[in-house]
Amino acid sequence: MSLIDTSVFIVDDDELVRELLGALITSVGLKVESFSSAQMFLDTFTQPNIPCCLVSDIRMPGLSGLDLQDQLLERGFSIPIIFISGYGTVPISVRAMKSGAIDFLQKPFENQELLDIIHRSLDKNKQEQSTTNELNKIRKRLKNLTKREQEVLNLVLNGTLNKQIAITLHMSESTVKTHRRHIMQKMEIGSLAELVRTIEKVKADTYSLPSKDIGKL
């Protein structure tokens, strides 16, 4: 990954540590932004549209690294976190990892070890963003369906035949076929199998279709 398509954030109250980490990370072509406190980071952070990760100290004045992690989760931000500390304990590292931290490094650590974890974190975040973007596109297309198209879609996904759909919704079979065609066009999908796979992706992400009949899916 290059300087222009990633962001690595550093949060540490020690200026020398920020400078050393910043120099190390930029030396491999990655963009770095540094913050002297967790609160300063929270006050300015917005989720970027590029792969990113956070390298944070655990013990800091004010909000700790763990407090920062909790705040990010509460605000709905999705960013891989790598914790570093010279005073880490097993309970602290376990709590951090259970809350989704990528890794916990005890000082002193090898530079290459940190860089390897950063690259792994950026790859993970890139995949997560790609998945999120794909799901958002699907959701937008689903919202463009009319109420009747949503009803037809639910029945189609349940394996209901056109003739049965027509009876259930009190319409002609040709009208059902027209709705199905419109659904496929709006969803930008070419086959029933692809439609089913697409909806399954959304269901796996716990998103609900904008239809009162979602419970039938």
Side-chain angles (χ1 to χ4, degrees):
M1 295 185 184
S2 67
L3 183 69
I4 61 173
D5 61 7
T6 60
S7 281
V8 179
F9 302 101
I10 299 172
V11 177
D12 199 302
D13 62 300
D14 189 319
E15 183 178 0
L16 179 59
V17 171
R18 294 197 305 273
E19 291 178 354
L20 291 174
L21 289 177
L24 172 65
I25 297 168
T26 56
S27 71
V28 293
L30 299 174
K31 180 181 177 182
V32 173
E33 294 183 54
S34 297
F35 302 85
S36 59
S37 71
Q39 190 61 59
M40 183 180 294
F41 175 76
L42 287 170
D43 289 343
T44 60
F45 180 69
T46 56
Q47 190 81 45
N49 294 321
I50 56 176
C52 62
C53 70
L54 168 63
V55 179
S56 175
D57 194 8
I58 285 286
R59 292 192 177 185
M60 296 181 287
L63 295 177
S64 70
L66 294 177
D67 293 331
L68 173 57
Q69 182 182 36
D70 290 341
Q71 286 287 319
L72 289 170
L73 290 172
E74 288 178 12
R75 299 182 187 192
F77 291 125
S78 176
I79 178 171
I81 302 177
I82 305 162
F83 283 117
I84 57 175
S85 178
Y87 309 95
T89 64
V90 171
I92 289 177
S93 61
V94 169
R95 176 188 165 186
M97 300 299 283
K98 282 186 175 181
S99 294
I102 293 296
D103 215 324
F104 189 106
L105 292 180
Q106 187 81 27
K107 298 176 183 177
F109 50 80
E110 294 292 331
N111 288 345
Q112 190 58 52
E113 182 181 12
L114 175 60
L115 292 176
D116 288 344
I117 297 171
I118 287 174
H119 280 292
R120 188 169 76 244
S121 300
L122 293 172
D123 287 339
K124 180 177 184 293
N125 193 240
K126 181 179 181 179
Q127 181 58 49
E128 289 174 345
Q129 289 191 12
S130 176
T131 300
T132 297
N133 290 338
E134 181 183 3
L135 289 171
N136 286 339
K137 289 179 181 178
I138 296 172
R139 292 166 181 167
K140 184 177 180 179
R141 293 167 189 164
L142 285 169
K143 288 182 178 180
N144 285 334
L145 299 180
T146 66
K147 180 180 179 181
R148 187 58 102 184
E149 287 167 350
Q150 292 168 18
E151 292 172 342
V152 171
L153 174 60
N154 278 290
L155 292 169
V156 168
L157 293 174
N158 284 340
T160 310
L161 300 176
N162 288 344
K163 184 175 182 179
Q164 296 171 314
I165 294 175
I167 295 172
T168 300
L169 299 180
H170 308 290
M171 62 177 66
S172 68
E173 192 170 345
S174 62
T175 300
V176 173
K177 292 179 180 178
T178 298
H179 282 310
R180 290 188 62 156
R181 184 172 66 253
H182 290 165
I183 291 169
M184 302 296 274
Q185 291 171 346
K186 290 182 178 181
M187 294 299 296
E188 299 181 21
I189 286 173
S191 69
L192 177 58
E194 185 181 356
L195 178 64
V196 172
R197 288 195 299 269
T198 298
I199 299 301
E200 285 301 318
K201 288 180 183 178
V202 178
K203 289 171 62 179
D205 194 54
T206 68
Y207 174 80
S208 295
L209 282 171
S211 169
K212 66 180 181 180
D213 296 319
I214 182 61
K216 298 178 181 179
L217 294 181

